[in-house]
Amino acid sequence: MNDSMRRAAAIVLVILGGAGLWWAGSGAPASASANDAMVATMAAARERAAASDARLKGASRFEEGGWIYVHLEGDPGAMGYQHGYLLAPEIEDGFAAVSTGMMHSTERDWEFFRKAAHEMLWPKIDAEYQQELQGIVDGLRARTGSKLDVDDIVAFNAFEELPDYYVPWLNKRQKAANAPNLKSPGNCSAFVATGSWTKDGKIVMAHNNWTNYRNGERWRIVFDISPKNGYRILMDGFPGVIASDDDFGINSDGLMVTETTITQFEGWDPNGKAEFVRARKALQYAGSIDEYTKIMLDGNNGGYANDWLLGDRKTGEIGQLELGLKAYKLWRTKDGVLAGSNWARDPKVLKVDTPEFDPGNKESSPNARRSRWDELLKENKGKIDVALAEKMLGDHADTVEKKEDANERTLCGHVDGSPRGVKEWDWQPYYPGGAVQGKATDATMTKEMRIMARMGHPCGGDFLAKPFLAAHPEYAWQEPYLRDMKAGPWTEFRSGQSPKE
Ligand SMILES: [Zn+2]
């Protein structure tokens, strides 16, 4: 080993946020360590070049309360590059966990999803989001030398819509024999309230994200997005994904947005525009409930069909957009509360878009939580504020058993504790899924671009992977990706926040 190589190896430094490379020299055989040193030198050179890229100007990252906060700004390509660069380790990790789940549930290989992304989704993605997605690939590759390309990243961004909406539609169309029993997901408990329902008469909005713990433990990003065009955005999200996707976000024109997914929704339009693109676009460009609705309807592909809960802090009005594919309905009020827990309620949407869903089954997770929202919100009419909303997100009242018991029927979901699972979503008994994090905000906080967020179960309970897997070997396939999900504190985040504060 010569001196220059030694010097080169010595300059390998931990680059950013603790993820980096190292070289241990003296103990290893000469040839192996020389090779390691060369690889490390190349990686260091690549990271130095990436770190000095002008596109990173203004971007930043810090961690707090179990969340990773990133600030992205500028034109779409630059914001993508910042996203890919700042979250590179988390994107690689999240991609591995998510893509494994997509292949496992659908029994399709990754090439299938790449093809769907390339041929079906990409041509209909607006140019600015194509640039942002390509930017993510560029930033990621510059930082880590990743081999992921834009088809991988587009398929990954569509992880809520391709496996559970497109594939079942395709299986039915192809009359696929022995097709897996795929169900649209049931993500979340949420409400938005206004007028006489809240303490200050203004809007309060809250949401907890229900998903499998494998993905949910990784759903820990707070995105502060300052785009060249459109409104400033503060939202939670998943590393590598351009929409919030669970969804919870506010924008600088006062729009407040969340949703819960429609259980047993069926349908897909291959000529439509990806849901993750429409959802991101609507949060970036809509300043009113009407504008939001218009963007979501434009090119509706049926993917990740949700009941959108909306608020406009400028008018105090709230809305619920039940967005089926064949039908949809918009309710709105300046004095009321709109709650969601994965059920549709418009008779037409129920009939044409969710033919299997039974609104009369009081014991199902969506309907039991619907009853609980009704009782809890009525009990607290006129008292609802952000602090109370945080408590509600951690509620464990089971309306069927009429007792406290964290399970699939409680607003704070713990399906890993349920011998019933959730058959409507094809979640088997003790499925490792439920509420994985929570967020809340109100009109005043939205004006100041602030939200509260808690990572992990909103009740504060921890999920521990090792004892769970020991007790439930049927989920052993998740072992490489299933991690502990420990609850953090309720933490405030705001636009333009810096790490020192
Ligand atoms: Zn809980």
Side-chain angles (χ1 to χ4, degrees), residues 367-378:
N367 295 330
R369 285 182 291 135
R370 180 179 186 170
S371 302
R372 181 55 183 158
W373 268 141
D374 284 349
E375 73 208 2
L376 192 58
L377 292 164
K378 271 183 201 137

Side-chain angles (χ1 to χ4, degrees), residues 14-276:
V14 172
I15 301 292
L16 198 87
L21 297 155
W22 68 93
W23 173 64
S26 54
S31 62
S33 56
N35 190 46
D36 287 352
M38 206 128 61
V39 169
T41 304
M42 286 162 66
R46 184 183 63 232
E47 290 220 25
R48 272 199 313 280
S52 60
D53 192 293
R55 283 172 289 187
L56 286 176
K57 191 171 181 292
S60 59
R61 162 185 169 138
F62 67 88
E63 297 183 24
E64 194 178 323
W67 294 85
I68 301 168
Y69 178 106
V70 291
H71 169 77
L72 313 177
E73 66 174 55
D75 63 51
M79 289 202 304
Y81 187 90
Q82 295 158 12
H83 184 165
Y85 180 89
L86 293 173
L87 293 173
E90 289 80 16
I91 293 171
E92 300 233 40
D93 171 66
F95 176 84
V98 163
S99 59
T100 299
M102 289 166 77
M103 292 185 281
H104 182 89
S105 68
T106 61
E107 299 169 18
R108 303 267 183 170
D109 64 15
W110 188 247
E111 198 47 43
F112 167 84
F113 290 106
R114 286 174 48 85
K115 191 163 176 269
H118 185 85
E119 292 176 1
M120 179 170 56
L121 303 182
W122 180 259
K124 295 175 198 79
I125 297 177
D126 305 68
E128 72 168 292
Y129 301 117
Q130 288 185 342
Q131 289 159 19
E132 190 169 328
L133 291 157
Q134 183 59 55
I136 291 174
V137 175
D138 296 344
L140 174 64
R141 288 184 163 202
R143 172 94 179 270
T144 66
S146 168
K147 296 283 184 283
L148 296 179
D149 66 16
V150 79
D151 292 340
D152 293 317
I153 294 298
V154 172
F156 173 44
N157 269 261
F159 78 83
E160 289 290 0
E161 52 197 303
L162 288 178
D164 297 329
Y165 296 80
Y166 170 54
V167 177
W169 171 85
L170 188 66
N171 285 342
K172 208 169 171 182
R173 208 159 160 256
Q174 296 176 334
K175 300 188 168 52
N178 307 317
N181 183 27
L182 296 166
K183 302 283 189 196
S184 57
N187 297 15
C188 320
S189 301
F191 76 85
V192 59
T194 192
S196 61
W197 287 78
T198 63
K199 201 171 176 178
D200 66 0
K202 297 180 195 167
I203 300 173
V204 175
M205 177 176 84
H207 174 270
N208 66 33
N209 173 355
W210 283 50
T211 188
N212 62 70
Y213 298 152
R214 187 181 74 251
N215 293 350
E217 187 270 333
R218 293 165 164 88
W219 218 305
R220 57 172 65 245
I221 314 299
V222 174
F223 285 101
D224 173 30
I225 302 176
S226 184
K228 190 175 158 203
N229 298 310
Y231 301 118
R232 183 129 180 193
I233 295 170
L234 187 67
M235 66 183 196
D236 77 322
F238 200 92
V241 175
I242 65 168
S244 168
D245 228 25
D246 69 325
D247 289 75
F248 188 91
I250 57 177
N251 77 26
S252 56
D253 201 41
L255 204 69
M256 306 162 74
V257 175
T258 193
E259 47 86 349
T260 78
T261 309
I262 300 176
T263 293
Q264 288 174 307
F265 171 89
E266 294 174 29
W268 177 265
D269 180 354
N271 299 311
K273 191 190 276 196
E275 188 275 347
F276 77 85

